[in-house]
Amino acid sequence: RIGMAFRSDHVAKTHVKPSAFKAFDLILEFINDPDNQLVFKLEKDQILIADNTAVLHGRTGFSGSTIRKLNRVTFDGRSKYAFHLDLGFAA
């Protein structure tokens, strides 16, 4: 398995080692290609559930006058109740 944390925005300062420039640029090229994106708008009363360790995700901007509500729940899968969390996604 390969793990990767990737952030590309103007909020967090990102430092890329020179040896990783090419890989960083390839990742940016890939994620900025609309053919590799699924873009949708959540409507009122909709929810998005995503595995942060398996899905590269982000969001588009929103105006300061728009109401945005974010509720976050974190599951680490180590609870004795974790087997109840079958959300229908393949492993």
Side-chain angles (χ1 to χ4, degrees), residues 64-81:
S65 64
T66 302
I67 296 173
R68 177 177 184 245
K69 182 177 180 182
L70 173 66
N71 293 318
R72 178 175 294 198
V73 177
T74 302
F75 300 102
D76 66 9
R78 292 182 288 220
S79 164
K80 66 181 181 178
Y81 305 106

Side-chain angles (χ1 to χ4, degrees), residues 3-81:
M4 177 178 73
F6 185 84
R7 182 162 183 161
S8 174
D9 59 25
H10 299 293
V11 176
K13 183 176 180 177
T14 303
H15 175 72
V16 181
K17 293 181 180 180
S19 60
F21 282 161
K22 185 174 181 180
F24 189 84
D25 287 341
L26 286 171
I27 293 168
L28 279 177
E29 182 180 327
F30 180 85
I31 64 175
N32 287 321
D33 182 344
D35 288 340
N36 299 323
Q37 299 174 0
L38 173 62
V39 179
F40 56 93
K41 180 177 181 177
L42 292 176
E43 299 297 330
K44 182 178 169 52
D45 296 327
Q46 285 186 319
I47 186 171
L48 172 68
I49 299 174
D51 180 348
N52 280 348
T53 65
V55 178
L56 181 61
H57 61 282
R59 64 161 178 80
T60 56
F62 56 94
S63 72
S65 64
T66 302
I67 296 173
R68 177 177 184 245
K69 182 177 180 182
L70 173 66
N71 293 318
R72 178 175 294 198
V73 177
T74 302
F75 300 102
D76 66 9
R78 292 182 288 220
S79 164
K80 66 181 181 178
Y81 305 106

